[in-house]
Amino acid sequence: MRVVVTGGAGFLGSHLCAALLARGEEVVCVDNLVTGAAENVAELYGGDGFSFLRHDVSDDLYVAGAVDAVLHFASPASPRDYLELPIQTLKVGSRGTHNLLGLAKEKGARFLLASTSEVYGDPDVHPQPEAYWGNVNPVGPRGVYDEAKRFAEAMTMAYHRVHGIDVRIARIFNTYGPRMRASDGRVISNFLVQAIEGKPLTVYGDGSQTRSFCYVDDEVAGILALLDSTHTGPVNIGNPDEFTVLELARHVIEVTGSSSEVSFEPLPEDDPRQRRPDISLARRLLGWEPKVPLGEGLARTAEWMRHHLGTGGV
Ligand code: NAD
Ligand code: UDP
């Protein structure tokens, strides 16, 4: 297969490019590097089958030659990034998704959208199954990301219904691992850097809000299983092990052997109170479930961070 991966120089996209190459696919990575980095794909250069196109996918896009699949991962993704880039985030979810569906239509390619647990907003159904429609504040600060992804899902389904495009929608829950940007502001990046540097871990609110964290290798395996499946509607891909943010802080301190304390800071506006995927559908359809427990994934990520902090690599 020849696969276009947008956002391929980002955290998740770079792991996906590597996994696709490892199973023998050709990869065209398209990225404007707004939140990603060329270093993330540096080791893929030179090998067979990898090419890089620096381009903003919210602008018209032309890819020469045959394309069998389009994986649309381009978007600012961490709350810090999308709050700093609200209009770019809305554009890449709307115009970018439209452009890439157009590419898939022209090439007769399969299309996979990187959607998100944020389509459920601050959920009042717990855990979240795919059938839940969500609880999103469209005019709040997070609306720029949540509504962009909800629009992207709607556009993807419209192209499927109207043009018969073969589509997949991965609803990705909080994912972590090597190559996360140390400054992306996400909770695991912040806590690991703070613990390694011996600074207080900044818990927002009282730390009782929950998240369910998936190690990147598990996430990529789930995304590829979905790509290879025949299922059209959205599928939750995440780890159902749920932790409060305070529990996460304690795990990070333990895994890194840090002497850091915890400090409490204000809770950001519209911060979801709870989040946990119901992955029954992924288990049944794809025979997939995550394997890496939080402690092990944190240890691997901490080791990577230690090597890369201060080297300019993150
Ligand atoms: P990331 O910021 O590391 O990667 C996003 C990549 O997209 C970056 O390389 C960035 O430069 C690129 N990009 C952004 N806008 C672009 C544009 N207009 N044109 C071309 N490239 C552009 O983030 P990530 O965590 O790797 O997320 C990747 C995808 O997965 C995103 O679509 C995100 O919404 C989705 N997702 C991620 C998570 C997670 O926990 N990591 C959870 C849910 C959904
Ligand atoms: N959070 C925190 N301290 C930090 C960064 C984040 O307590 O330094 C909290 C944040 O308020 C949220 C959770 O951790 O409740 C996850 O935040 P993140 O930005 O990683 O992703 P989200 O799931 O909110 O998109």
Side-chain angles (χ1 to χ4, degrees), residues 121-163:
D122 186 8
D124 42 25
V125 169
H126 194 72
Q128 294 81 56
E130 290 82 355
Y132 176 50
W133 291 356
N135 177 35
V136 170
N137 175 3
V139 294
R142 295 174 84 104
V144 299
Y145 180 70
D146 302 9
E147 295 298 359
K149 292 289 186 180
R150 289 168 68 95
F151 176 90
E153 287 199 7
M155 189 59 126
T156 299
M157 291 310 294
Y159 261 65
H160 171 66
R161 292 190 185 108
V162 175
H163 296 302

Side-chain angles (χ1 to χ4, degrees), residues 77-80 82 116-118 142 145 174 180 184-191 194 201-205 207 209-211 213 245-246 248 263 265-268 270-273 275:
S78 85
R80 175 178 290 169
Y82 65 70
T116 169
S117 52
E118 281 280 325
R142 295 174 84 104
Y145 180 70
N174 297 60
M180 289 184 91
D184 72 8
R186 289 190 256 212
V187 68
I188 290 191
S189 317
N190 278 3
F191 283 2
Q194 290 159 346
L201 273 60
T202 50
V203 170
Y204 300 162
Q209 70 273 33
T210 68
R211 294 293 185 274
F213 302 98
V245 166
L246 206 49
L248 174 70
S263 71
E265 298 201 355
L267 190 68
D270 291 345
D271 198 284
R273 289 292 316 150
R275 180 180 294 156

